Structure formats: structure tokens, C-alpha cells
Amino acid sequence: MASHNKPDTAGGVGPLFSEAAAARNAVAPRSSINWLPVAVVSTLVATGLWGAWVTREIIAKPEATPMARIQLSSMVGEYVQAQARSATPPDQVTAETKAFMAEIEKNLKARGADGQIVLVGEAVLAGDVPDITAEVRKQVFAKVRMPEPAPQAAHSVMGAMQQAMADPGLAAPGNAGMGYGPRN
């Protein structure tokens, strides 16, 4: 009976355990991971993420310069002069000027909300600060119309002065041929 306690060739400890040993040995041997599919999937994921980042960077709107200046006095002065030359009634001038100033304020607030610092041009003494006056002027006048100059009437003082300067023959009859200076 001593022969029954010896391990048999199937790895068991006797005939009673030979079937259990055979079942244990029938389990698949330890398998190793094939690294090629893992590398391919990792490369595809990395390429997809890089492509998404590049697309976002290309499509994203360009960042505004962090600091800019505006020649606000010249822009407002230009508008006020245009209003002065127009034949617009005073009540309408007031309303249009308020709308113009509100549009400038709205434009500058939007720039501030985007993180841009806007300096009044007169406050910039030196340095390389980009001027955004033309850009703001274009955006504001796209929403608020520039006043049209009034037609020059022949009876207006300005019209008479311009006509007199253009045609020296229309000078007063008493001064004709007398020269430019006073006579003693």
C-alpha cells in the first residue's frame, strides 16, 4: 500500500486524486499580455487628445491684448463737432449724444469683461501700448450713426464768409482797390 502514497505521473498523490490533479493541470497555463494592441490603443487615444487640443487652439478666438489705449477725447470731439455742424434739433442732439456715449461705454465695458485693460490715450506717456481707437470707432459708428452736416445755406454767416473768401471781387464797394491795410 505504500505504492499508493507515491505521486503518480499526473501530479496527484495516488489513484484517488488523479482526476483532481488532471483537472488542475488542465487549466490554461499563465498567459502573458500581448503589448501590441495596448500600444496601438494608447497611441490612438493620445493622438485623439492631441487633435482635440490643436482644434481648440485653432478655433479659439484670439486673445485681446492685455493692455490697450484709446484716444477718447479725439473720438468724442469728432462726434461733437459733427453734431455742431448738423441741423439736428437740440433735443435730438442730446438723445443721440447720450446714445453715442452709452455705446462707447458698452464697448469699453465688454473689453474690460474680456480681461483687457483700456487706458485713455492721454494717460499713456511711453511704452508700446496698442491703440484701439480706430477699432472702437468702427464698432461704435456701426451702431450709432455719425451726424450728417447741414447743407450750407447761402444766407448763413459761414456760407457768406466762405463765398467772400473764395471770390475777392465781392468785397464791399467802398474798399475796392484800396488795399488790405488801413488808409491814413
Side-chain angles (χ1 to χ4, degrees):
M1 290 226 148
S3 67
H4 289 287
N5 290 335
K6 287 188 193 174
D8 64 354
T9 57
V13 183
L16 294 175
F17 300 106
S18 63
E19 289 178 21
R24 188 175 50 220
N25 287 339
V27 175
R30 181 176 156 223
S31 63
S32 72
I33 297 174
N34 188 354
W35 289 103
L36 182 62
V38 173
V40 168
V41 169
S42 298
T43 303
L44 288 174
V45 168
T47 304
L49 290 174
W50 177 80
W53 176 79
V54 168
T55 303
R56 183 193 65 172
E57 292 298 315
I58 290 173
I59 293 177
K61 69 178 185 175
E63 291 184 26
T65 54
M67 197 176 298
R69 69 178 171 173
I70 182 169
Q71 301 294 335
L72 196 57
S73 63
S74 68
M75 202 169 141
V76 172
E78 177 185 353
Y79 184 81
V80 169
Q81 282 182 350
Q83 279 290 14
R85 292 182 183 136
S86 71
T88 310
D91 293 341
Q92 187 177 348
V93 167
T94 303
E96 288 177 357
T97 304
K98 283 182 181 179
F100 172 74
M101 296 302 285
E103 190 59 39
I104 289 176
E105 184 178 3
K106 180 180 167 186
N107 188 296
L108 296 178
K109 278 185 178 179
R111 289 173 181 277
D114 288 342
Q116 186 176 34
I117 299 169
V118 180
L119 303 171
V120 178
E122 291 77 11
V124 179
L125 298 176
D128 188 23
V129 179
D131 192 350
I132 59 170
T133 306
E135 183 181 338
V136 171
R137 179 180 284 124
K138 181 180 174 186
Q139 292 170 351
V140 168
F141 287 131
K143 296 180 181 178
V144 176
R145 72 172 184 81
M146 179 69 113
E148 296 293 324
Q152 296 258 343
H155 64 279
S156 74
V157 175
M158 270 308 259
M161 286 177 62
Q162 288 175 346
Q163 190 176 12
M165 301 231 5
D167 189 7
L170 295 177
N175 293 337
M178 306 279 292
Y180 293 106
R183 288 279 170 160
N184 291 336

